[in-house]
Amino acid sequence: MKYESIIGLEVHAQLLTDSKIFCGCSVSYGADPNSQTCPVCLGLPGVLPVLNKKAVEYAVKMVLAVGGTVAPHSIFARKNYFYPDLPKGYQISQYDQPLSTGGSVEIEIPESKAKKKIHLTRIHLEEDAGKSLHSEDNSYTNTSSNVKQKGETLVDMNRCGVPLIEIVTQPDMRSPKEATLFLNKLKQILEYLEICSGNMEEGSLRCDANVSVRPIAQTKLGTKTEVKNMNSFKAVEKALNFEMERQIGIIESGGRIIQETLLWDAEKELIAPMRSKEESHDYRYFPEPDLVVLKFHPQTISGIGGIRSEEKFGTPTITIVEKIKQSLPELPEARKTRFIKQYQIPEYDAELLTTEKKLADYYEECVKNYPNSKAVSNWVMGEVLRELKERKISVSEFKVPPKELASLLKQVDSGTLSGKMAKDVFVEMAETGLSSEKIIQEKGLVQVTDTKEIESVIESVLRENPGEVEKYRSGKERVFGFFVGEVMKKTKGKANPSVVNQILKEKLSS
Amino acid sequence: MAITIQDVEHIAKLARLRLTEEEKLRFQKELGKIIEYFDQLKKLNTDGVPPTTHVVPLENVLREDAVKPCLSVEEALANAPDRKGNYFRVPKVVEKEG
Ligand SMILES: [Zn+2]
């Protein structure tokens, strides 16, 4: 029997604010443990949280970018559970009145090129918890309380209170592949909006999944499980495939799927149930009394006005939904369409060039200085991406600015460099960050276009290889490439290939 | 609506409280009274009253995204029952909830 999986995702994206969601602590990554805390995020008694305006703006940006509806009225809620990295004993989140509902993200199935909408249930704001490091090696002993047990947990509260948006999808995905396609698209949108770094390895983008399987053509849904701890795009696909196979195996052998939470183990590449009791899901949500209502007046959503506080009670603020809407950057889909039209490049090129905002910016900047858009596209997709991959760096860390690439390409056009030489110079530029002119000068890499000089090299090549010449003249035209290669060897690749081709043909046919 | 001993035990467990049999009986009574009070509230006519989550007439209280000085690590850890280096240290936890 053939099965399909039904997958819904819960994605947590860390917002790129400077300070935490409810206090002024810095959120910079990689700080010393417990160096970025204050009474608010440590949950000390008597403190009051105050919502970060930028976090709200960023969240609204995302809602608008995916076509969701900003709720006119939303509130925060306390999600109660005990865990050492949650010092308050509750997480401030949103529950029954979230920031937004609806919206969708479109994915394209590579094989069929079919477009598919993944619908979103909601997007809401919440705070992150701290970070726990578990260890078996050290026994925990606390002399003052006489506690003794195997293993200890160390807690760093720096991440506590970092602003997140949780994006919840409907169970619209039908395969692990679709889930990763969706996740990639989501990451792309977050990056374009510049509201999240999208780095799964650093934990700024995290994903949990609800998975069930059913025989294709069956409409009734199977029992679902929740899969957590998938820390990379690869892990998501692997974990979901694993879980899908596991569920199919159980069903085929006549068993029953139990609704449970499972953890993906990236090292062992398997899934294990999380030890937890039924009661752990009893979060006893209730409205957070310390944070007031978040109101977007009805007119703001349709166009005018903004998030306003009651003037008589506080500062008249705040952000205007319409303003945010207008400030939305061109999103990946729109940019791709424009690239195809404006630069007359194939859809494949446009798709690849717009996967990352910074790469698309790089391309456009380069075309500005060197208008042969298809040639630039080839270079960016080929040489640039290869250099980035080999050096394991991002576009913003790349040492060759787009203007420099443009001037390199101009030198190919003017005949100063051959295509092959340009590629070598480019590698050198990526390595050293020097300009192409500087490298050409230092290496004496000027292309030989002097026909006399080339002619004499060709003559000597033909003289030294009479057998090959005979072969060519008897119709084996494939040896032509051999002659070109020999000429290039003798000139150390500096001979202008079109001049070489032309003279070679003349000489061989004479 | 009456509160059962099982309800008390469940709530105690969620709150990580260990109750004696005597205490369970006491809380059964006390929680029962609170629930009774809600039953009384339920009898009120609330037609036309919008659902209210907050009683203060405030909305959209926000702060600018500005970084403020944090506590020093020593201050942050000052009240910790136990620490290791600059970390809070607690007995090993295995399950993660939430
Ligand atoms: Zn803080």
Side-chain angles (χ1 to χ4, degrees), chain A residues 20 23-25 36-41:
Chain A
K20 293 186 180 179
C23 64
C25 289
Q36 298 184 156
T37 68
C38 74
V40 174
C41 52

Side-chain angles (χ1 to χ4, degrees), chain A residues 478-493:
Chain A
R478 273 184 300 126
V479 278
F480 191 79
F482 163 80
F483 297 122
V484 176
E486 287 301 300
V487 173
M488 285 304 181
K489 239 186 252 165
K490 278 190 190 282
T491 57
K492 295 195 177 77

Side-chain angles (χ1 to χ4, degrees), chain A residues 19 24 34 152 275 291, chain B residues 54 63 65 68 86 89 95:
Chain A
S19 66
N34 292 308
E152 61 177 8
R275 269 188 284 163
L291 288 161
Chain B
H54 295 75
R63 43 171 271 273
D65 179 30
K68 290 207 176 126
N86 289 345
R89 184 168 178 257
E95 58 169 15

Side-chain angles (χ1 to χ4, degrees), chain B residues 9-55:
Chain B
E9 284 169 347
H10 175 65
I11 293 162
K13 202 167 189 181
L14 288 173
R16 302 290 197 270
L17 295 173
R18 211 173 303 154
L19 302 179
T20 63
E21 293 308 311
E22 232 167 77
E23 284 168 325
K24 284 180 196 169
L25 285 170
R26 202 183 96 208
F27 283 119
Q28 184 187 13
K29 239 183 246 165
E30 289 180 5
L31 290 172
K33 273 193 188 136
I34 295 168
I35 296 294
E36 266 171 43
Y37 181 62
F38 277 95
D39 287 339
Q40 203 177 322
L41 286 174
K42 268 190 198 162
K43 288 183 190 132
L44 289 172
N45 182 356
T46 54
D47 292 350
V49 180
T52 308
T53 52
H54 295 75
V55 287

